[in-house]
Amino acid sequence: MDFDAVVLAGGKSSRLGGVPKAHLKYDGATLLQRALAATRGARRVVVVGPDPGTLPDGTLTAREDPPFAGPAAAIAAGLLALQGQDSEGQDSEARHGQSPSPDHAAWVLVMACDMPLAAAAVPVLLQEVSAHSESEGALSISSDGRKQPLLGIYRVSALQREVQAVSEEGGLANAAVFRLLARLDLLAVPVPEGSTDDVDTWDDAAALGVDGDLP
């Protein structure tokens, strides 16, 4: 199935002392590199966050407005980039050799960059959405039953509708992602164990075998 991807890589990393999660390493690759590898098969990929200057050719970049406004605002910025616009609705420039296009895919994979094993979940999510095309998307359910909305695939038209609604109901800045997704008809998909494990603290990093420079 055709899908685009939005990779979220612009958080403050407050509990890591400001060390960017995207730069942490797992098994010889940065978490951002692993997230990009997990989007394999996407027609186009947008990284929402600071441009590290090392992105693969064809990758688009975007930034939530204002910076550090949270994942809901970052998702909205990613959708705009896929439409060829920036966060203010103006035409955006091509990044890394690819021009944005309004001809986006019907589905978008949304993934935070801080889950080093997320690649195992992506084919499971795609398979479930393909089998239930009437749904508006699917989000991951961890082995202990927790919902992870930042590892999910969503129908673009439905997500755009909710972005507009939340924008009109108080704004996207610092809005909860679950609020953004609350009215979507979503599948809750159990994914392989460990694929939703994320890095919020140095203890998380140590438990997962993620390396980085201590603050």
Side-chain angles (χ1 to χ4, degrees):
M1 62 179 288
D2 281 347
F3 68 99
D4 293 323
V6 172
V7 176
L8 309 183
K12 288 183 177 180
S13 301
S14 298
R15 287 185 281 175
L16 293 172
V19 176
K21 295 181 182 182
H23 297 174
L24 300 177
K25 289 188 175 182
Y26 178 87
D27 197 22
T30 68
L31 295 192
L32 179 55
Q33 288 170 333
R34 291 187 66 85
L36 291 171
T39 69
R40 181 179 179 182
R43 285 175 46 179
R44 290 172 304 156
V45 179
V46 180
V47 173
V48 183
D51 185 346
T54 57
L55 295 175
D57 289 345
T59 307
L60 302 171
T61 59
R63 200 72 170 101
E64 67 273 27
D65 183 27
F68 307 119
I75 291 169
L79 292 177
L80 285 173
L82 289 171
Q83 294 176 309
Q85 297 180 332
D86 61 21
S87 60
E88 295 180 351
Q90 303 298 314
D91 290 343
S92 65
E93 298 178 355
R95 296 284 191 260
H96 302 283
Q98 179 166 321
S99 297
S101 167
D103 183 26
H104 55 71
W107 299 92
V108 61
L109 172 68
V110 173
M111 178 188 301
C113 77
D114 63 351
M115 291 175 275
L117 303 177
V122 175
V124 178
L125 293 167
L126 291 171
Q127 183 177 7
E128 286 298 313
V129 167
S130 295
H132 300 87
S133 58
E134 75 285 354
S135 73
E136 292 183 321
L139 55 74
S140 296
I141 302 295
S142 68
S143 58
D144 60 358
R146 290 179 298 164
K147 294 180 179 179
Q148 177 47 274
L150 300 184
L151 182 51
I153 185 162
Y154 306 103
R155 189 182 297 277
V156 171
S157 59
L159 197 51
Q160 289 173 327
R161 180 191 71 220
E162 295 309 309
V163 163
Q164 182 64 32
V166 173
S167 296
E168 294 173 353
E169 293 168 359
L172 289 158
N174 301 311
V177 174
F178 282 113
R179 177 185 169 207
L180 177 64
L181 304 178
R183 289 174 288 209
L184 295 183
D185 179 17
L186 298 177
L187 304 169
V189 179
V191 294
E193 185 173 0
S195 57
T196 62
D197 290 351
D198 56 3
V199 179
D200 284 329
T201 68
W202 288 114
D203 285 343
D204 294 336
L208 288 168
V210 171
D211 299 319
D213 294 328
L214 292 171

